[in-house]
mmCIF file of all heavy atoms in Angstrom:
data_model
loop_
_atom_site.group_PDB
_atom_site.id
_atom_site.type_symbol
_atom_site.label_atom_id
_atom_site.label_comp_id
_atom_site.label_asym_id
_atom_site.label_seq_id
_atom_site.Cartn_x
_atom_site.Cartn_y
_atom_site.Cartn_z
ATOM 1 N N TRP A 174 4.293 45.186 12.757
ATOM 2 C CA TRP A 174 4.629 43.918 13.590
ATOM 3 C C TRP A 174 3.439 42.977 13.715
ATOM 4 O O TRP A 174 3.562 41.922 14.030
ATOM 5 C CB TRP A 174 5.225 44.352 14.961
ATOM 6 C CG TRP A 174 6.522 44.865 14.855
ATOM 7 C CD1 TRP A 174 7.176 45.407 13.761
ATOM 8 C CD2 TRP A 174 7.449 45.112 15.942
ATOM 9 N NE1 TRP A 174 8.432 45.869 14.238
ATOM 10 C CE2 TRP A 174 8.648 45.709 15.474
ATOM 11 C CE3 TRP A 174 7.374 44.830 17.248
ATOM 12 C CZ2 TRP A 174 9.674 46.022 16.267
ATOM 13 C CZ3 TRP A 174 8.381 45.125 18.163
ATOM 14 C CH2 TRP A 174 9.529 45.725 17.681
ATOM 15 N N PHE A 175 2.273 43.627 13.587
ATOM 16 C CA PHE A 175 0.961 42.850 13.717
ATOM 17 C C PHE A 175 0.575 42.333 12.456
ATOM 18 O O PHE A 175 0.176 41.182 12.299
ATOM 19 C CB PHE A 175 -0.043 43.862 14.222
ATOM 20 C CG PHE A 175 -1.328 43.276 14.538
ATOM 21 C CD1 PHE A 175 -1.617 42.379 15.513
ATOM 22 C CD2 PHE A 175 -2.493 43.768 13.741
ATOM 23 C CE1 PHE A 175 -2.794 41.933 15.798
ATOM 24 C CE2 PHE A 175 -3.698 43.270 14.044
ATOM 25 C CZ PHE A 175 -3.862 42.291 14.963
ATOM 26 N N ILE A 176 0.740 43.091 11.306
ATOM 27 C CA ILE A 176 0.237 42.713 10.077
ATOM 28 C C ILE A 176 1.145 41.658 9.456
ATOM 29 O O ILE A 176 0.609 40.594 8.856
ATOM 30 C CB ILE A 176 0.028 43.925 9.171
ATOM 31 C CG1 ILE A 176 -0.976 44.864 9.659
ATOM 32 C CG2 ILE A 176 -0.319 43.482 7.657
ATOM 33 C CD1 ILE A 176 -2.438 44.536 9.559
ATOM 34 N N VAL A 177 2.410 41.887 9.338
ATOM 35 C CA VAL A 177 3.297 41.012 8.569
ATOM 36 C C VAL A 177 3.305 39.499 9.005
ATOM 37 O O VAL A 177 3.111 38.663 8.204
ATOM 38 C CB VAL A 177 4.801 41.543 8.566
ATOM 39 C CG1 VAL A 177 5.695 40.547 7.866
ATOM 40 C CG2 VAL A 177 4.729 42.843 7.669
ATOM 41 N N PRO A 178 3.374 39.204 10.381
ATOM 42 C CA PRO A 178 3.200 37.840 10.775
ATOM 43 C C PRO A 178 1.850 37.242 10.263
ATOM 44 O O PRO A 178 1.910 36.083 9.870
ATOM 45 C CB PRO A 178 3.293 37.840 12.219
ATOM 46 C CG PRO A 178 4.080 39.056 12.607
ATOM 47 C CD PRO A 178 3.656 40.044 11.560
ATOM 48 N N GLY A 179 0.855 38.043 10.346
ATOM 49 C CA GLY A 179 -0.435 37.652 9.938
ATOM 50 C C GLY A 179 -0.396 37.286 8.376
ATOM 51 O O GLY A 179 -1.147 36.288 7.865
ATOM 52 N N LEU A 180 0.285 38.020 7.603
ATOM 53 C CA LEU A 180 0.396 37.835 6.160
ATOM 54 C C LEU A 180 0.938 36.385 5.869
ATOM 55 O O LEU A 180 0.617 35.800 4.862
ATOM 56 C CB LEU A 180 1.249 38.793 5.440
ATOM 57 C CG LEU A 180 0.702 40.175 5.153
ATOM 58 C CD1 LEU A 180 1.582 41.186 4.625
ATOM 59 C CD2 LEU A 180 -0.462 39.962 4.136
ATOM 60 N N ILE A 181 1.697 35.826 6.677
ATOM 61 C CA ILE A 181 2.333 34.427 6.497
ATOM 62 C C ILE A 181 1.115 33.507 6.357
ATOM 63 O O ILE A 181 1.011 32.722 5.441
ATOM 64 C CB ILE A 181 3.265 33.948 7.596
ATOM 65 C CG1 ILE A 181 4.381 34.897 7.681
ATOM 66 C CG2 ILE A 181 3.550 32.571 7.499
ATOM 67 C CD1 ILE A 181 5.342 34.604 8.901
ATOM 68 N N GLY A 182 0.189 33.768 7.315
ATOM 69 C CA GLY A 182 -1.120 32.877 7.289
ATOM 70 C C GLY A 182 -1.908 33.190 6.033
ATOM 71 O O GLY A 182 -2.260 32.275 5.326
ATOM 72 N N ILE A 183 -2.181 34.544 5.780
ATOM 73 C CA ILE A 183 -3.085 34.824 4.692
ATOM 74 C C ILE A 183 -2.551 34.387 3.333
ATOM 75 O O ILE A 183 -3.388 33.728 2.601
ATOM 76 C CB ILE A 183 -3.308 36.442 4.730
ATOM 77 C CG1 ILE A 183 -3.850 36.875 6.037
ATOM 78 C CG2 ILE A 183 -4.068 36.817 3.435
ATOM 79 C CD1 ILE A 183 -5.378 36.762 6.041
ATOM 80 N N LEU A 184 -1.346 34.555 3.073
ATOM 81 C CA LEU A 184 -0.754 34.329 1.722
ATOM 82 C C LEU A 184 -0.661 32.819 1.539
ATOM 83 O O LEU A 184 -1.023 32.236 0.466
ATOM 84 C CB LEU A 184 0.492 35.046 1.494
ATOM 85 C CG LEU A 184 0.504 36.547 1.483
ATOM 86 C CD1 LEU A 184 1.844 37.157 1.244
ATOM 87 C CD2 LEU A 184 -0.570 37.004 0.344
ATOM 88 N N THR A 185 -0.298 32.089 2.545
ATOM 89 C CA THR A 185 -0.228 30.575 2.444
ATOM 90 C C THR A 185 -1.646 30.091 2.136
ATOM 91 O O THR A 185 -1.827 29.167 1.374
ATOM 92 C CB THR A 185 0.386 30.024 3.733
ATOM 93 O OG1 THR A 185 1.483 30.739 3.984
ATOM 94 C CG2 THR A 185 0.720 28.610 3.492
ATOM 95 N N PHE A 186 -2.542 30.695 2.822
ATOM 96 C CA PHE A 186 -3.943 30.259 2.766
ATOM 97 C C PHE A 186 -4.433 30.533 1.308
ATOM 98 O O PHE A 186 -5.013 29.615 0.657
ATOM 99 C CB PHE A 186 -4.738 31.107 3.755
ATOM 100 C CG PHE A 186 -6.204 30.673 3.892
ATOM 101 C CD1 PHE A 186 -6.618 29.398 3.585
ATOM 102 C CD2 PHE A 186 -7.107 31.630 4.409
ATOM 103 C CE1 PHE A 186 -7.977 28.994 3.760
ATOM 104 C CE2 PHE A 186 -8.462 31.259 4.520
ATOM 105 C CZ PHE A 186 -8.881 29.979 4.186
ATOM 106 N N VAL A 187 -4.225 31.706 0.836
ATOM 107 C CA VAL A 187 -4.748 32.040 -0.617
ATOM 108 C C VAL A 187 -4.208 31.154 -1.589
ATOM 109 O O VAL A 187 -4.889 30.497 -2.397
ATOM 110 C CB VAL A 187 -4.448 33.485 -0.905
ATOM 111 C CG1 VAL A 187 -4.720 33.746 -2.323
ATOM 112 C CG2 VAL A 187 -5.189 34.444 0.024
ATOM 113 N N VAL A 188 -2.911 30.860 -1.604
ATOM 114 C CA VAL A 188 -2.226 30.032 -2.663
ATOM 115 C C VAL A 188 -2.686 28.570 -2.473
ATOM 116 O O VAL A 188 -3.032 27.911 -3.416
ATOM 117 C CB VAL A 188 -0.747 30.214 -2.655
ATOM 118 C CG1 VAL A 188 -0.081 29.243 -3.587
ATOM 119 C CG2 VAL A 188 -0.366 31.548 -2.950
ATOM 120 N N SER A 189 -2.756 28.031 -1.230
ATOM 121 C CA SER A 189 -3.166 26.636 -1.184
ATOM 122 C C SER A 189 -4.587 26.492 -1.580
ATOM 123 O O SER A 189 -4.883 25.473 -2.131
ATOM 124 C CB SER A 189 -2.899 26.206 0.368
ATOM 125 O OG SER A 189 -3.963 26.525 1.157
ATOM 126 N N ALA A 190 -5.404 27.506 -1.224
ATOM 127 C CA ALA A 190 -6.809 27.346 -1.609
ATOM 128 C C ALA A 190 -6.983 27.388 -3.074
ATOM 129 O O ALA A 190 -7.719 26.623 -3.730
ATOM 130 C CB ALA A 190 -7.632 28.557 -1.061
ATOM 131 N N MET A 191 -6.139 28.203 -3.826
ATOM 132 C CA MET A 191 -6.248 28.344 -5.233
ATOM 133 C C MET A 191 -5.693 27.012 -5.977
ATOM 134 O O MET A 191 -6.144 26.666 -6.981
ATOM 135 C CB MET A 191 -5.472 29.567 -5.736
ATOM 136 C CG MET A 191 -6.092 30.824 -5.412
ATOM 137 S SD MET A 191 -7.764 31.098 -6.119
ATOM 138 C CE MET A 191 -7.517 31.188 -7.754
ATOM 139 N N THR A 192 -4.695 26.423 -5.387
ATOM 140 C CA THR A 192 -4.068 25.265 -6.089
ATOM 141 C C THR A 192 -4.787 23.979 -5.690
ATOM 142 O O THR A 192 -5.344 23.232 -6.545
ATOM 143 C CB THR A 192 -2.630 25.146 -5.740
ATOM 144 O OG1 THR A 192 -2.461 25.294 -4.309
ATOM 145 C CG2 THR A 192 -1.778 26.254 -6.456
ATOM 146 N N ILE A 193 -4.909 23.721 -4.387
ATOM 147 C CA ILE A 193 -5.556 22.528 -3.959
ATOM 148 C C ILE A 193 -7.023 22.478 -4.145
ATOM 149 O O ILE A 193 -7.649 21.601 -4.644
ATOM 150 C CB ILE A 193 -5.282 22.162 -2.453
ATOM 151 C CG1 ILE A 193 -3.746 22.078 -2.251
ATOM 152 C CG2 ILE A 193 -5.927 20.899 -1.966
ATOM 153 C CD1 ILE A 193 -3.285 22.127 -0.814
#
Side-chain angles (χ1 to χ4, degrees):
Chain A
W174 289 16
F175 180 66
I176 296 284
V177 170
L180 277 175
I181 297 174
I183 298 279
L184 295 178
T185 313
F186 187 25
V187 171
V188 174
S189 85
M191 292 299 294
T192 49
I193 299 168

